[in-house]
Amino acid sequence: MTTQEFVPGLAGVPAAESAISYIDGAAGILEYRGYRIETLSEKSNFEEVAWLLLKGKLPTRAELEQFRTELRARRDLAAPLLTLMRALPREGHPMNALQASLAGLGMVSPKVDYRDADSSWEAILRLLAITPVLVATFERLRRGDDYLAPDPELNTAANFLWMLNGERPKPIAERTLDCALLLHAEHTMNASTFAARVVASTEADPYTMCSSAVGALFGPLHGGANERVLQALESIGGKQNVDAWFAKKRASKGKIMGFGHRVYKTKDPRAITLQRLVRELFGELGTTPIYDTALALEKAVVGALGDKGIYPNVDFFSGIVYQKLGIPTDVFTPIFAMARVTGWLTHWQDQMKHNRIFRPGQIYIGKHDQPWVPIEERG
Ligand code: CMC
């Protein structure tokens, strides 16, 4: 390639050919393997969708059962990993704990040979099965509870809630979290997926890759936006304060978390489905006042910035869902991560099929042939 044009943020520059997921940002369409996200969130579930992404086709009943059995068989934490988790500082952020414990998981797992299908599948299963357990376990340990063994009868979402709370979740809670996981499972070449593919391209193992991708997801411009949305909604203090809050934010040129997207120039289809989940949850569990604040903020932001393509993204309503499920605010982004592990691993499989290490260029704008100045002569 001879082009010397610098594209900040690599906006629109293809980093891979991929048949995993597809976004039409103008029309607000998201598909996984050609299936619309609305169809999947109505008819499917997180584990079936994980299979769809990883295998490229919907599973048969037998394949899905086998997949579920394989996941359930891998959820228990190895003793050295639990020791590591007990040693992590409780005051730290759960995303840092997840990054550290995913690296730890790699240290207690069999070595991965990406050329070997069985070895690769084993690593995929372990990462899918254990990541939610790491998130739930850190939350338990930091609040002073002990490790709770997984329940082998439960699916990923229900087992996560079980491990977090020590009681079997209500069907509405399980269904809602399951759908939220499905919505977050994959999203083309976002920052954490790109980071994952860069790490994978060095032939680092998938545990290292996922740990690195968690770091990329943590930032407030990416997955870290969801906890900040809730903090902002709470700090506004009621829908009557929205206009004043928004005016102040605009005057300081601050970004409103949960709005805007590199690809979508309309409302994110995942936000639309999350809003449906909010309404369903409220129907059973009662409303949350910050939802009214959120609706007022959406109206204000879209009214002022809709022409620029600024609409709610996936992070805008997810926090309201998780809060209603009793999940602490700083666990929102780890939940994003335990879903997105699916996408990272699917991209890992693709990357390793025709791997070439990522090594982009740069446009050098510095000096050349500088004369050497001895230290005593420097000003
Ligand atoms: N609030 C106010 N203005 C915004 C926002 C926002 N949230 N997002 C973009 N803009 C404005 C921005 O100021 C810029 O205006 P101008 O052209 O006048 O300078 C214009 O829109 C383009 O913004 P950008 O930052 O250059 O766009 P980008 O494609 O580089 O960034 C983004 C995309 C998602 C990082 C950005 O919209 C943003 O920072 N949003 C807030 C953080 C957030 O909600 N992140 C979650 C993203 S979705 C899920 C995920 O990936 O995790």
Side-chain angles (χ1 to χ4, degrees), residues 11 187 190-191 217 219-226 229 246 253-263 265 268 270 301 305 308 310 313-316 336 340:
H187 208 235
N190 54 86
L217 185 70
L221 297 189
H222 193 7
N226 59 10
V229 169
F246 180 51
K253 299 206 181 312
K255 278 190 171 173
I256 296 93
M257 294 289 124
F259 286 89
H261 199 276
R262 173 66 60 77
V263 188
K265 297 304 162 203
D268 185 329
R270 300 167 299 173
V301 175
L305 302 171
K308 284 172 74 174
I310 310 290
N313 60 47
V314 70
D315 292 321
F316 191 57
F336 192 154
R340 187 56 60 81

Side-chain angles (χ1 to χ4, degrees), residues 119-136:
S119 165
S120 299
W121 188 239
E122 177 59 30
I124 288 170
L125 288 171
R126 288 171 74 88
L127 278 155
L128 282 177
I130 297 174
T131 305
V133 174
L134 299 175
V135 176

